[in-house]
Amino acid sequence: MNPIKFRPLRADEIECRVGQAYPESCTLLLYKDARVDQRLLDEVVGPYMWQRKHELIDGQLFCTVSIFSEHSGEWVGKQDVGTESNTEKEKGRASDAFKRACFNWGVGRELYTAPNIRIKLNDTDKNKDGKIKYNRFSVKEIDYDEHRNINTLVIVDSDGHVRYTMGRKGGEYSDVIATAEKMASMVGLSEYYNTLHEDIKKRVRDDFNQIATKKR
């Protein structure tokens, strides 16, 4: 029986959530919503070849995602438990349990390889009450190595400015890129750098990679 293989998530299928907020910075977590899981299950196994079931076990809400095996002629299920959300309690638990069960099948499992993402905040990132704006940050670009580990990650804010960069096709020279961005900020060029067109910024990063390669 051939194992079911789900493709890695695209940038537009990944969302950013604030993990920890500090006065001048915050950490971000990468996550997927239940609609992404549903689309990938439909895409890979077919809309009539999977099913979900929720049940309470010792007061905890579990979800079982089952996929029909044409090899054995049986449904094969994987199960996990959900946690409450900050808004809709029961709906949040059901959705979380479903997403966790899909992780068990391999949907979006590569998100567990995300780096520690820390963003330096500015005044435009916050509302008047001082809280970070909802959906302020998003994934612009992501790539993976042969083991499905994240090796390239670009996060932008809702104004289109690049706020976090990790690696370029392997991440080997991400420290060089980070240094360049820090230098631009120190000499007052950060706003200019952030407003450059994406293809120009790509050329800048690639040039740094080439320079670093030559110096190896």
Side-chain angles (χ1 to χ4, degrees), residues 16-178:
C16 296
R17 175 183 296 165
V18 175
Q20 295 288 332
Y22 305 95
E24 297 182 353
S25 66
C26 73
T27 61
L28 296 181
L29 305 175
L30 303 184
Y31 73 102
K32 57 184 173 69
D33 68 22
R35 290 182 292 270
V36 171
D37 292 302
Q38 293 166 1
R39 285 197 298 268
L40 273 174
L41 285 166
D42 287 348
E43 175 187 312
V44 176
V45 304
Y48 303 109
M49 303 297 285
W50 69 274
Q51 60 185 9
R52 62 190 284 188
K53 181 180 71 173
H54 293 270
E55 58 183 326
L56 280 172
I57 302 177
D58 294 332
Q60 299 294 318
L61 185 62
F62 284 76
C63 177
T64 301
V65 173
S66 300
I67 295 176
F68 186 76
S69 169
E70 295 181 340
H71 176 76
S72 65
E74 298 177 338
W75 289 92
V76 179
K78 296 190 178 185
Q79 185 182 73
D80 214 323
V81 65
T83 58
E84 297 177 4
S85 68
N86 294 327
T87 53
E88 300 174 87
K89 181 177 178 180
E90 290 305 320
K91 184 179 178 180
R93 290 174 67 191
S95 178
D96 190 62
F98 173 63
K99 290 184 290 184
R100 288 171 178 263
C102 289
F103 269 127
N104 290 337
W105 277 108
V107 182
R109 193 179 292 168
E110 59 276 3
L111 296 183
Y112 286 124
T113 70
N116 181 25
I117 305 169
R118 196 177 187 101
I119 303 289
K120 184 178 180 180
L121 298 174
N122 55 51
D123 292 339
T124 60
D125 296 326
K126 300 179 180 180
N127 295 313
K128 292 181 179 180
D129 60 3
K131 294 182 179 180
I132 299 172
K133 295 176 181 177
Y134 181 70
N135 283 344
R136 174 61 173 166
F137 305 105
S138 61
V139 178
K140 174 71 175 179
E141 180 183 347
I142 193 167
D143 204 355
Y144 311 89
D145 63 20
E146 64 273 18
H147 302 296
R148 296 172 66 112
N149 296 314
I150 298 172
N151 61 18
T152 300
L153 180 64
V154 178
I155 292 176
V156 298
D157 59 31
S158 53
D159 298 317
H161 298 158
V162 175
R163 304 294 295 275
Y164 178 88
T165 302
M166 168 196 167
R168 296 294 300 176
K169 299 296 184 183
E172 192 172 356
Y173 307 114
S174 57
D175 56 335
V176 177
I177 298 166

